Every structure is written in C-alpha cells, then in structure tokens.
Amino acid sequence: FEYIKTQMQLQQEASALFAGKDRFRSPFHCAAATVRERGVLGLYRGGLSWAIFGGPRSAVRFGTFETLTAASQRRGMHQRLGTPTADTINGFAAGMAEAALCQTPNQVIAIKMIHDQSPRGPRQYEGLVHCVACIWRAEGVAGYFQGVGPAVTKGAATNAIRFLGFGQLKRLAQGPAGADGTPPPPLATWQAMLCGGIAGAVSAVATQPIDTVKANMMGIDGGRYRSAFHCTAELVRAGGLRVLMNGVGPRVCRVFIEVGLQFSLYEYVGRALDRAFGSSSKTN
C-alpha cells in the first residue's frame, strides 16, 4: 500500500519526472505494472527503511504520549480541559517528536527509493545502503531531513487525531464505570484494532494534502521546491487541487491496518505493565 500510495502522490505535472502518457493511471495499474516489470518484490521498494524505523517510531510516539499524559494528569490538565482535549494536545506533541526524530529520515530514504523506480525514474539506487550513501554524499545530514516541515506538521496532526479518536472510541466501546466506581473492562484485541484503525483512517483522509506535499518535497527532485508553500502552489498550479489527494485510497488501507495493530499492541503492553508493576500506567 505504501509503495502504491507514494507512486501515485509523486505523479505530479509539476515534477521534472512526470511521465505524461506513461504515468500510472490508477493504483491497480501501478501495482500491475510494477509486478510485471520488477516482480512482487518491486512493491516493497523502500520497505526496509520502514522496517528499520518501525520500532523507534512507535517507541518515540507512544513513549512521548505516555510521558506527557502522566505529566498532564499530575498537573490537573485532564480535569481542567477534559480528557479529549488533553489527549489531542499530548498526541500532537508526540507526533511532532516522532516525525522530527524518526519519521523524516525514514521517509526521505523510502520515498527517494520509490521515486527512483517511477516510470521516468533514473534507476540510480542499487538498494537501501546505496541510497543512504548517495544522500550523504550529495547533501550530508541535512539530506535526511528534506521536507521536515510538512513531515512534522503531518505527524503532529495525524497523531492528535489518532489519540483523540482512539480515546473517544475506546470510552464508547467500554461503556461507563460501574456505580461503585469499578473501571470498565479493557478492550478486547479486536475492539482495540477496530478503534485504532478507524481513528487512523480518519487521520489519513484529513492529512492527505499535507502528506502529498511532504512526499514531493522528499522525492528525487524535491530540491526544486523552496518551501512547503512553494511546493503546494506548484502542485496546484500544474494539476489543480485534486492532485493533493492522489494516493488517498491506498494510504487509508495501509493506515487502517498499521494503526489498528499499533493501538492493539499498545493496549496489550499497557495491561501487561500494569500487571507486572501493580500500578496503572495509563487511564481508561
């Protein structure tokens, strides 16, 4: 899903690599053409970068959120502002930390490798290590943070929506506490996956324009854009507003699965820690 989504996002008339009549006509055409040319493994181009950064990304996201949630509870923020607002603020900050520390270099590497395999791509990267080395030689450390502005903006917005949405859906699924103050039962695994998946899907649709701008700034010809605003203006001028939603279908599918799994694991690990240490590491 990620490969197809990114290829569709990068097919912009404003791009120096725009393929014209040779471009991918739809997500299905993209998948079929890639498999025909490069085999099934072609759909996983850039996937190793996601696998390497997957653990650190989740650790930073959920670790930051839990730390901020504990701090906000101590300071009475949940009582003053309400849990949904506190979750939104903490999720926003967690998303910024994840994007700045992990997500940006992860996606710069993956997107350049995917763009390299587009219909007009130069086919210059032999693999992950070669791509990393090429970025280093061309731009140094700064090359791994190309497009960091929209990446941080998107990361903050998506996580604010996800943590808020998951928290609201979780409380709805659990029901109210007992009359004697007994907390509601924990979510079943399938409930956590569904709540997380729905929250993730909503966040994907809401932030797709930012994600498209980010992808194009991280692409092989991303250096031609002076800023996120310049990139947005160029994309819209050449292809209209609709191009900002390119690839939204595959992204929704990928995010629904990924975020559903992440939140179900988050719930499971939280309960395991509660049992191990005999204290509540997070509230219902």
Side-chain angles (χ1 to χ4, degrees), residues 86-115:
D87 284 347
T88 302
I89 294 171
N90 294 335
F92 191 89
M96 291 182 66
E98 177 194 0
L101 298 175
C102 302
Q103 187 75 312
T104 300
N106 162 34
Q107 292 200 325
V108 165
I109 297 167
I111 288 172
K112 287 188 185 301
M113 291 184 69
I114 292 171
H115 206 185

Side-chain angles (χ1 to χ4, degrees), residues 133-149:
C134 287
I135 295 171
W136 176 265
R137 286 196 297 268
E139 302 179 63
V141 175
Y144 302 111
F145 292 90
Q146 193 174 5
V148 66

Side-chain angles (χ1 to χ4, degrees), residues 68-80:
L68 292 175
T69 296
S72 62
Q73 287 175 336
R74 288 195 300 271
R75 299 177 190 281
M77 181 185 295
H78 287 250
Q79 289 72 32
R80 294 196 307 272

Side-chain angles (χ1 to χ4, degrees), residues 11-13 15 17-26 29-30 33 36 118-120:
Q11 292 199 133
Q12 302 286 348
E13 293 181 44
S15 172
L17 299 181
F18 181 62
K21 63 182 179 59
D22 296 325
R23 70 187 185 278
F24 296 126
R25 295 187 297 273
S26 70
H29 178 236
C30 175
R36 186 167 57 249
S118 64
R120 294 284 173 85

Side-chain angles (χ1 to χ4, degrees), residues 108-259:
V108 165
I109 297 167
I111 288 172
K112 287 188 185 301
M113 291 184 69
I114 292 171
H115 206 185
D116 186 55
Q117 195 170 283
S118 64
R120 294 284 173 85
R123 309 295 201 270
Q124 63 188 5
Y125 301 130
E126 298 172 5
L128 176 70
V129 175
H130 185 233
C131 178
V132 171
C134 287
I135 295 171
W136 176 265
R137 286 196 297 268
E139 302 179 63
V141 175
Y144 302 111
F145 292 90
Q146 193 174 5
V148 66
V152 170
T153 302
K154 188 214 75 172
T158 54
N159 280 285
I161 294 170
R162 289 170 189 177
F163 279 106
L164 170 64
F166 179 77
Q168 292 289 80
L169 291 170
K170 175 183 176 180
R171 286 184 282 275
L172 181 64
Q174 286 181 312
D180 59 352
T182 304
L187 293 179
T189 300
W190 71 267
Q191 289 176 310
M193 290 184 66
L194 183 61
C195 292
I198 293 172
V202 171
S203 74
V205 174
T207 61
Q208 182 67 13
I210 307 173
D211 192 67
T212 297
V213 171
K214 176 218 69 184
N216 281 272
M217 291 188 70
M218 291 179 176
I220 290 176
D221 62 339
R224 66 200 302 265
Y225 302 117
R226 297 189 299 271
S227 66
F229 296 106
H230 178 237
C231 180
T232 303
E234 288 295 296
L235 297 183
V236 172
R237 181 188 60 77
L241 286 171
R242 62 179 177 79
V243 302
L244 297 178
M245 298 302 289
N246 282 5
V248 67
R251 183 172 179 231
V252 167
C253 293
R254 191 266 296 171
V255 169
F256 181 90
I257 297 169
E258 177 190 1
V259 177

